[in-house]
Amino acid sequence: AILFRMQSGITQEFCQQIPKVELHAHLNGSLSNKTIKKLLDRRRDLKISTAAFEKGEQRTMGDCFEMFKVIHSLVDSTEVIYEVTKDVIEEFSADGVKYLELRSTPKGLVESGMDKRRYMDAVVGAIRDYKHDNDDVIDVKFLPSIDRGRSIKDAQENLKLAEEYSISCEDIVTGIDFSGNPYTTDAAKFMPVLQGAQRVGLKSAVHLSEVKDRSDETRMFLSVPPDRIGHGTFLTDEEDVKSSVLESRIPIEVCVSSNIASNTSPPEHIKHHSVWWMGQEHPCVVCTDDKGVFSTGLSSEYFIIANALSLSEEQTLKLSESAIDFIFADENMKAKLKQIWKESKKDEVLEITFVTCLSCLDMKN
Ligand code: IMP
Ligand code: ZN
């Protein structure tokens, strides 16, 4: 059996050191202040208002979507997409992430000659180059996003691209994300797209019940069903929805800071809906959503959850390991990651042995 240090409360440092899997990260929402400042400095000509950025905790979900507009005006060429994708991978890797699924909405921009295909190539190219230049320290997949705020034509194009790249870049593109402003009310039109993704063997991560009173929409999307649920904040509002999710065992991607910042969850961590789901032993994966927009990181999210649930170090490591089962990748990748977790437990034992020996020596002196 593995011995872990007995202590009250998990430290941020411990959460930083353990290996982690990140499954819900929107590329443009993940840009750090450092990257945004770099881009703003370069594009003074745009005279961008940063009012929404400066609102801090007073931000509404509307302000968050305003921030995305600002970021999108800065990320306006394939060169910038390539560069920011590498920055984001680097930052997740520095935070102890060993496997990352990045999602992003392919966009075209006539002015810079960027079309959706070039967008895809820039992200895939950055992933390949980062891995190659950094001795495979992190594995990264790319889930093209479908934005529910855009047209069905736009969604169908993205699905087609996702399908095409899942064949030509099968080691990188393995599924799709369904996201965008959750207050749009005509999401039913995207059902054929989600069904189409399933038909061609793409995995799907679907933002679901992110805001109140969307039960009909939720029931409809659950009938596909998605492979993972994003947020699921209000799933427990209706008994039939709650029990069908519990029964389905579809994992929920939990993004505490994101929900609090966008006012869909109370500020007390213990009141976050994931506490209830984890209490039911329903599979939950700790994620960031938009680490830049919500000023967080994956170790900070583990720190929040571990302390809200009073988890031990062993339980926290187990929670991060459990995410491996829900990645959109094959069994070889899962086995590779499980080996990394196994090694990290050995390191833990060695460290304890070392500390114990030191205290024995102390006693002898
Ligand atoms: P991008 O797709 O890389 O440009 O990342 C930003 C986009 O992700 C936003 O424009 C939204 O469509 C989507 N997004 C980010 N956070 C959320 C969220 O909390 N709910 C729904 N969509 C989101
Ligand atoms: Zn999201």
Side-chain angles (χ1 to χ4, degrees):
I2 294 153
L3 295 169
F4 284 78
R5 278 160 298 203
M6 296 294 289
Q7 59 173 53
S8 55
I10 289 286
T11 62
Q12 173 84 38
E13 189 193 9
F14 176 79
C15 296
Q16 210 278 326
Q17 281 168 354
I18 56 169
K20 292 172 288 297
V21 160
E22 168 65 82
L23 300 185
H24 187 144
H26 300 269
L27 175 61
N28 285 304
S30 301
L31 304 199
S32 60
N33 283 344
K34 192 172 157 208
T35 295
I36 291 185
K37 190 171 178 318
K38 175 172 77 177
L39 301 180
L40 277 171
D41 282 348
R42 267 189 229 159
R43 298 302 309 273
R44 297 227 167 101
D45 59 302
L46 291 176
K47 299 199 172 42
I48 283 172
S49 158
T50 52
F53 286 82
E54 279 144 25
K55 281 196 182 175
E57 287 181 7
Q58 307 305 318
R59 271 192 307 247
T60 61
M61 194 179 268
D63 291 325
C64 298
F65 279 90
E66 278 307 309
M67 288 171 70
F68 289 127
K69 275 196 206 150
V70 173
I71 296 169
H72 289 149
S73 65
L74 291 167
V75 184
D76 63 348
S77 69
T78 47
E79 290 78 13
V80 178
I81 289 154
Y82 177 85
E83 186 181 346
V84 301
T85 304
K86 277 184 153 185
D87 284 0
V88 168
I89 299 173
E90 171 83 39
E91 288 155 3
F92 274 115
S93 176
D95 196 27
V97 173
K98 303 295 173 197
Y99 174 92
L100 165 66
E101 285 177 15
L102 271 181
R103 43 183 90 187
S104 191
T105 325
K107 301 164 195 80
L109 252 187
V110 186
E111 306 91 76
S112 69
M114 174 173 85
D115 62 12
K116 287 186 177 185
R117 202 173 286 279
R118 292 216 176 125
Y119 192 102
M120 299 280 296
D121 288 339
V123 176
V124 166
I127 292 173
R128 287 240 161 88
D129 292 351
Y130 187 89
K131 264 173 67 83
H132 176 264
D133 298 343
N134 293 278
D135 301 325
D136 282 333
V137 288
I138 180 168
D139 277 289
V140 187
K141 305 280 179 207
F142 173 37
L143 314 180
S145 300
I146 284 156
D147 181 350
R148 58 187 286 167
R150 297 177 187 230
S151 66
I152 184 73
K153 178 175 166 280
D154 189 88
Q156 268 153 355
E157 282 170 11
N158 294 6
L159 173 62
K160 199 97 208 90
L161 280 172
E163 184 186 356
E164 183 189 318
Y165 279 71
S166 73
I167 296 163
S168 58
C169 308
E170 57 167 353
D171 56 328
I172 296 185
V173 177
T174 50
I176 55 151
D177 158 56
F178 181 69
S179 55
N181 193 334
Y183 290 103
T184 54
T185 50
D186 58 348
K189 67 182 182 195
F190 297 109
M191 272 295 275
V193 180
L194 294 182
Q195 287 159 332
Q198 190 181 56
R199 223 174 8 251
V200 297
L202 285 162
K203 298 277 187 192
S204 69
V206 176
H207 284 64
L208 209 64
S209 275
E210 199 181 346
V211 294
K212 248 186 152 2
D213 301 326
R214 289 292 183 280
S215 300
D216 287 344
E217 179 188 297
T218 300
R219 285 187 192 97
M220 183 179 64
F221 288 138
L222 280 174
S223 73
V224 176
D227 295 284
R228 289 197 312 251
I229 293 172
H231 302 301
T233 323
F234 296 96
L235 286 172
T236 50
D237 278 10
E238 301 275 349
E239 273 310 312
D240 64 312
V241 172
K242 184 168 89 179
S243 36
S244 105
V245 173
L246 274 177
E247 206 172 300
S248 69
R249 309 280 303 157
I250 302 174
I252 300 177
E253 301 158 350
V254 170
C255 314
V256 180
S257 297
S258 157
N259 299 153
I260 294 174
S262 44
N263 293 320
T264 53
S265 196
E268 301 89 348
H269 298 151
I270 192 69
K271 292 188 181 162
H272 191 263
H273 60 279
S274 61
V275 173
W276 185 84
W277 288 99
M278 288 197 210
Q280 306 297 309
E281 298 189 3
H282 189 85
C284 287
V285 183
V286 181
C287 304
T288 54
D289 202 14
D290 300 286
K291 75 174 178 60
V293 170
F294 302 123
S295 307
T296 188
L298 193 55
S299 36
S300 301
E301 295 303 307
Y302 269 93
F303 180 68
I304 288 171
I305 288 285
N307 283 298
L309 296 170
S310 305
L311 299 184
S312 65
E313 291 189 345
E314 190 174 4
Q315 288 167 323
T316 308
L317 185 59
K318 219 173 178 175
L319 179 63
S320 79
E321 185 174 14
S322 68
I324 299 172
D325 289 333
F326 312 118
I327 63 174
F328 292 169
D330 62 16
E331 293 306 315
N332 288 337
M333 179 60 71
K334 290 182 184 171
K336 177 182 169 183
L337 291 171
K338 289 202 169 144
Q339 189 57 33
I340 295 176
W341 264 254
K342 204 166 160 191
E343 295 296 323
S344 86
K345 286 178 202 160
K346 268 195 218 146
D347 291 348
E348 196 73 27
V349 173
L350 279 177
E351 196 181 318
I352 290 164
T353 316
F354 181 65
V355 172
T356 315
C357 292
L358 281 183
S359 37
C360 291
L361 279 176
D362 249 7
M363 276 158 61
K364 277 187 194 146
N365 293 333

